[in-house]
Amino acid sequence: MYITLESDYAVRITAELCKEPVKLDAKTIAEKTGVTLRFALKILRKLVAAGIVRSFKGTQGGYMIAMEPKDIDLRIVIEAI
């Protein structure tokens, strides 16, 4: 199996969100994972659509993990991307 760069970044983003039980903005996520902001936003949209991540709009918005971390496996994240 070949894992794309996008899948690798999605795993990094998901892992970072699992570590932090609070909302994180996209810029912080991008900085902590080493992913460009534009690419992080694209991946976050896909993770939100898959139900892995929740998004919050507005000035106090951000992203938070939507599933229990123990229920997330590599397959779910890669299939979402």
Side-chain angles (χ1 to χ4, degrees):
M1 175 197 295
Y2 178 74
I3 296 180
T4 64
L5 185 61
E6 187 175 15
S7 297
D8 175 44
Y9 288 167
V11 170
R12 287 189 210 177
I13 289 170
T14 304
E16 187 63 39
L17 289 171
C18 285
K19 287 192 276 185
E20 301 286 339
V22 295
K23 286 187 281 188
L24 295 174
D25 63 284
K27 184 178 177 185
T28 303
I29 294 169
E31 289 170 356
K32 288 186 171 196
T33 58
V35 179
T36 63
L37 179 58
R38 186 173 178 176
F39 207 16
L41 287 168
K42 177 182 174 185
I43 293 167
L44 284 163
R45 275 193 302 275
K46 290 181 180 184
L47 293 173
V48 167
I52 298 170
V53 173
R54 290 181 59 200
S55 67
F56 299 91
K57 298 187 186 293
T59 57
Q60 298 298 317
Y63 297 90
M64 206 173 171
I65 202 74
M67 301 173 67
E68 286 292 322
K70 65 181 173 98
D71 296 332
I72 300 172
D73 61 11
L74 192 59
R75 181 185 55 84
I76 292 172
V77 175
I78 291 174
E79 285 178 355
I81 300 303

